[in-house]
Amino acid sequence: GAVVSQHPSRVICKSGTSVKIECRSLDFQATTMFWYRQFPKQSLMLMATSNEGSKATYEQGVEKDKFLINHASLTLSTLTVTSAHPEDSSFYICSAREDRGPGELFFGEGSRLTVL
Amino acid sequence: AQSVTQPDIHITVSEGASLELRCNYSYGATPYLFWYVQSPGQGLQLLLKYFSGDTLVQGIKGFEAEFKRSQSSFNLRKPSVHWSDAAEYFCAVSAAGANNLFFGTGTRLTVIP
């Protein structure tokens, strides 16, 4: 099946720094990717829809300036958590919708961010 | 508004026993329904999906799910659970042509020897 890779899988940073998480579709093109946030023992909450070549669409309550999304190519979307604070610590998961065929969604393995 | 309810937060079953995980949805249009599995610290893997047609859907790892429109349910079943099935299971719903998936809160499955 199609593979979506996230990097880094784990990152620890100091409060006030910025962290970039990459989401790559390894063997397919994805015009549309999604970023989710998962709190411990809770479900996934959609943060934003990333569109190649255009601005991301953010869900209500998600700070655009806090969570910068760039979808620079058909295989790469990045999420940058700017000026990170401890409350930004979470598990971030991306998914990519395959452009061809029925447009199935494939999920990355997730990135755990810990802000000290 | 769309919503997905997984009423069981945590289920414990013995290895070899049968399993049923419940999922109820609320959706205005005909839904697309999904079951995903998540192992600790991992991303999500699609088990199966229902778009249309036969209401009994077969998935990977021996799982199946049945779409019951009258009950707004899409319960996941497996006749004989293996220890490796221990994980978090998420039910999700979307609309035809829609980008977004709405997830339930998940059911954590523990398998005892």
Side-chain angles (χ1 to χ4, degrees):
Chain A
V3 177
V4 174
S5 175
Q6 276 185 247
H7 178 79
S9 57
R10 295 178 182 270
V11 56
I12 301 173
C13 69
K14 293 182 179 180
S15 186
T17 62
S18 295
V19 174
K20 180 185 286 187
I21 301 171
E22 293 185 347
C23 177
R24 292 182 184 274
S25 57
L26 296 186
D27 51 1
F28 65 97
Q29 292 184 336
T31 302
T32 304
M33 295 185 179
F34 305 90
W35 287 96
Y36 292 85
R37 184 174 180 176
Q38 185 179 30
F39 292 100
K41 299 185 179 182
Q42 294 190 29
S43 188
L44 285 75
M45 301 299 295
L46 180 67
M47 299 175 62
T49 301
S50 173
N51 303 294
E52 188 271 339
S54 64
K55 292 182 179 180
T57 304
Y58 290 81
E59 295 300 304
Q60 190 173 9
V62 177
E63 300 177 58
K64 300 178 182 181
D65 296 334
K66 174 67 147 176
F67 299 101
L68 300 180
I69 291 173
N70 184 14
H71 197 147
S73 76
L74 290 173
T75 59
L76 174 64
S77 175
T78 59
L79 169 68
T80 301
V81 183
T82 63
S83 187
H85 291 283
E87 56 266 30
D88 299 325
S89 298
S90 192
F91 195 56
Y92 294 88
I93 301 177
C94 74
S95 68
R97 182 179 295 280
E98 187 173 16
D99 284 349
R100 296 175 58 183
E104 186 169 343
L105 276 179
F106 297 93
F107 283 82
E109 61 271 30
S111 299
R112 181 163 301 285
L113 170 63
T114 302
V115 184
L116 303 177
Chain B
Q2 311 90 329
S3 68
V4 180
T5 302
Q6 292 180 248
D8 304 306
I9 297 174
H10 185 202
I11 285 181
T12 299
V13 299
S14 298
E15 190 169 15
S18 63
L19 171 71
E20 182 169 29
L21 302 182
R22 294 184 291 168
C23 173
N24 293 94
Y25 67 90
S26 174
Y27 208 73
T30 300
Y32 286 179
L33 295 158
F34 307 80
W35 274 100
Y36 287 89
V37 61
Q38 183 183 34
S39 297
Q42 300 294 316
L44 276 69
Q45 181 183 23
L46 179 67
L47 287 176
L48 47 77
K49 60 189 175 187
Y50 171 79
F51 287 173
S52 65
D54 192 346
T55 55
L56 183 62
V57 181
Q58 301 297 320
I60 62 171
K61 303 184 179 184
F63 286 93
E64 66 177 26
E66 186 170 13
F67 171 56
K68 292 186 178 180
R69 185 186 300 275
S70 61
Q71 299 178 18
S72 297
S73 70
F74 189 57
N75 294 348
L76 182 71
R77 299 193 294 250
K78 185 168 184 177
S80 178
V81 172
H82 189 262
W83 63 267
S84 60
D85 293 324
E88 189 88 18
Y89 291 81
F90 291 96
C91 181
V93 64
S94 75
N99 281 327
N100 195 6
L101 280 179
F102 291 92
F103 286 87
T105 50
T107 298
R108 183 161 61 94
L109 175 64
T110 297
V111 180
I112 56 178

